[in-house]
Amino acid sequence: MDIPRVITTVLAISTALACAPSRDQPPVDAGRTSDAGTVSRDAAAPRRDAGDDPRDPDGGHVDVDASPPDPIEQCTGGADEDGDGRIDCADEDCGTDEACEEAPDLVADWETGDWSQWDGPLGRDPDAQIDVVTDVVRQGRYAARFQVRPGDRYRTTSGERAEVHLWDYRREREGDTFYYAWSTLFPEGWRAPERWGIVMQWHAHTDISPPMAFNAGADRLDLVFSSGNIDSWWPAEYEESHRVLDGLSPGRWHDFIVRIDFRADTSGSVEVWHRLEGTAEFDSVLAVRDVPTLQWSTDSGRIHDGYAQRWGEGWVSGVWVQHGLYRSASSATDVIYHDGFCRGTSYAAVRGCFDE
């Protein structure tokens, strides 16, 4: 064995190990000086714990891909903080805010125990078709039961019906915006009306279909439009159907809130919120924007005498509410329940109409 060569090799390995950086110490960063008396940038910077930087709540890295939180409506800020076009208490996000408590401007919730809150019934035999009941109720003590039998026509109108209406109050007119709230129950055994089954409608002073109506089938609910220009009588300028619900859950109450911008031109809109009995919160289930929600004509004769409102180069009709069940002629009997109707000028006003 060559002893001097072994000793030389051992000394070389020892020297290399002594000069290598320790595994317990991080290597010197590029650009960091090692001159005597000079302090590195890392050493001079104060230590920052995770969460000190609001841009970096988990420490170490800024999440450049993280989305900012959605803006929240402040309810009393006087501005549209969340950018949805509705300010303060007109925004549904403020529906339970104490600052937005206000009364609806119209209540017809059956709590008088009769139909005196309404302007009158529509039916062949209203006393036999419309009952105020206490056994099937969504809120308060009373609700209404509507029954339509074969042959239940009202005067000379088409179809068969059992409805109440709000005729004598101020009509919804061009430029108005209102919110509506009510509850509807389709009983066990509910069947589809043969052609249509209208459970809520906003009717114009014309002889054609209403500009807007909720139409029920066997297991669906649609919002049906017949609005805009009616010079051709039918079809109207906007003839469309929009799905509101894909299921009617017979035997359980449905709560509705509806917002309508009443416009004869295409700047109108309708939004519908819904809550099924047994759930706590409302969900937005339909939003139809940039559509007409009233009927108008260049011929004032299309609108009933005394109800035509001048509008641009034509005439527009206001609307009123009819509520109950209006169906095509049938050989069967249909029953439906409604409760808690009210109207207001904000989401908060009508949201408060529901018992909690």
Side-chain angles (χ1 to χ4, degrees):
M1 178 181 296
D2 189 345
I3 297 301
R5 180 173 296 177
V6 172
I7 294 173
T8 301
T9 300
V10 171
L11 289 174
I13 292 173
S14 299
T15 302
L17 290 173
C19 295
S22 168
R23 292 186 180 182
D24 294 332
Q25 299 294 326
V28 176
D29 292 337
R32 190 178 186 184
T33 181
S34 58
D35 293 343
T38 303
V39 180
S40 72
R41 289 192 301 272
D42 287 350
R47 181 178 179 82
R48 187 175 66 214
D49 294 330
D52 287 351
D53 190 340
R55 299 169 302 172
D56 182 21
D58 53 359
H61 298 87
V62 176
D63 298 325
V64 295
D65 294 330
S67 299
D70 292 334
I72 299 174
E73 188 69 22
Q74 297 303 312
C75 300
T76 57
D80 181 18
E81 286 90 357
D82 60 2
D84 64 358
R86 300 166 197 170
I87 297 174
D88 293 352
C89 296
D91 194 312
E92 62 272 14
D93 294 338
C94 298
T96 57
D97 192 290
E98 292 183 359
C100 294
E101 289 183 357
E102 58 178 290
D105 68 346
L106 187 154
V107 175
D109 59 3
W110 304 98
E111 288 307 299
T112 56
D114 54 27
W115 61 46
S116 61
Q117 295 168 304
W118 298 83
D119 294 326
L122 302 172
R124 181 170 63 90
D125 185 4
D127 289 332
Q129 292 180 262
I130 306 172
D131 290 326
V132 180
V133 299
T134 58
D135 58 334
V136 182
V137 174
R138 176 56 169 160
Q139 56 195 25
R141 297 176 57 195
Y142 302 99
R145 179 183 184 271
F146 297 84
Q147 176 180 253
V148 182
R149 306 159 301 184
D152 277 337
R153 296 183 62 183
Y154 175 68
R155 296 181 180 174
T156 60
T157 60
S158 63
E160 299 164 338
R161 70 178 79 206
E163 294 179 294
V164 288
H165 63 86
L166 291 169
W167 174 266
D168 293 331
Y169 77 117
R170 188 179 74 86
R171 308 296 197 272
E172 283 82 340
R173 300 178 184 272
E174 167 67 33
D176 286 343
T177 295
F178 283 106
Y179 291 77
Y180 304 84
W182 76 90
S183 301
T184 295
L185 182 141
F186 301 92
E188 298 286 351
W190 170 261
R191 50 173 292 281
E194 292 184 8
R195 292 175 57 198
W196 76 85
I198 294 176
V199 301
M200 170 67 80
Q201 59 177 306
W202 290 264
H203 207 295
H205 295 278
T206 64
D207 292 331
I208 63 174
S209 299
M212 292 168 293
F214 277 77
N215 181 45
D219 201 31
R220 74 176 194 275
L221 186 68
D222 297 320
L223 177 60
V224 180
F225 287 82
S226 185
S227 58
N229 183 274
I230 58 170
D231 280 352
S232 63
W233 211 240
W234 192 91
E237 174 188 357
Y238 188 69
E239 290 277 351
E240 295 290 342
S241 179
H242 299 269
R243 185 60 47 86
V244 177
L245 297 177
D246 282 319
L248 296 185
S249 302
R252 298 173 68 185
W253 284 96
H254 298 264
D255 299 333
F256 296 98
I257 295 176
V258 178
R259 177 185 189 270
I260 304 177
D261 292 315
F262 290 97
R263 306 290 187 270
D265 63 14
T266 56
S267 65
S269 67
V270 180
E271 187 161 2
V272 181
W273 294 266
H274 170 260
R275 179 179 65 178
L276 185 63
E277 180 182 4
T279 59
E281 300 301 327
F282 283 84
D283 293 320
S284 177
V285 293
L286 178 67
V288 183
R289 298 186 174 89
D290 302 322
V291 299
T293 52
L294 295 174
Q295 293 173 347
W296 72 278
S297 176
T298 58
D299 178 5
S300 63
R302 296 288 194 192
I303 301 171
H304 298 160
D305 288 343
Y307 294 103
Q309 176 188 356
R310 190 68 182 176
W311 180 74
E313 299 299 317
W315 305 84
V316 64
S317 170
V319 298
W320 73 92
V321 167
Q322 289 184 191
H323 194 32
L325 178 60
Y326 173 41
R327 71 177 192 184
S328 55
S330 173
S331 59
T333 295
D334 289 318
V335 172
I336 197 171
Y337 294 83
H338 296 303
D339 198 1
F341 178 88
C342 71
R343 183 190 77 172
T345 56
S346 72
Y347 183 96
V350 299
R351 176 67 174 78
C353 294
F354 294 97
D355 288 347
E356 299 300 336

